[in-house]
Amino acid sequence: SIRDKIAKDFDGKIEVSNSNGRSDVESSDKVFEVKPISNWTHGLGQVYTYSLATRKKPVLVLYGNCPPGENILYACSTLNVEVMFFKLN
């Protein structure tokens, strides 16, 4: 899965609890939330609040058939959230 790949690539742990919920992956300096691109707003809210709880860099990992549009990139950059995208075949 994408979540497992992120955990492996960033030497992270899966499903880590924090005071604002449970992140999909957490590494030593980043917190990740993995969502289909159609649920990007939910993922953005989740990863942003997880970053506040953990004081780690938020990374929103999106997957789908098309890359993130300008509205997604603008919203994430405004909140200083990194975006990663995986295209599904």
Side-chain angles (χ1 to χ4, degrees):
S1 73
I2 294 170
R3 183 194 67 182
D4 294 344
K5 177 177 176 25
I6 295 294
K8 182 180 178 191
D9 290 351
F10 290 88
D11 194 29
K13 296 180 179 163
I14 294 172
E15 297 291 328
V16 179
S17 293
N18 61 66
S19 61
N20 290 334
R22 190 189 333 238
S23 61
D24 285 328
V25 177
E26 189 174 314
S27 70
S28 62
D29 62 341
K30 295 182 179 185
V31 61
F32 300 84
E33 189 62 25
V34 180
K35 291 284 186 227
I37 199 164
S38 59
N39 288 343
W40 74 271
T41 54
H42 296 116
L44 178 58
Q46 285 177 284
V47 79
Y48 185 75
T49 58
Y50 299 161
S51 73
L52 295 175
T54 62
R55 300 193 183 275
K56 295 182 179 186
K57 171 75 177 163
V59 183
L60 178 59
V61 181
L62 299 173
Y63 60 90
N65 294 321
C66 61
E70 288 300 315
N71 59 332
I72 296 173
L73 298 176
Y74 176 77
C76 290
S77 68
T78 299
L79 295 173
N80 199 26
V81 173
E82 183 180 335
V83 179
M84 295 176 70
F85 178 71
F86 289 84
K87 183 170 176 64
L88 299 180
N89 296 331

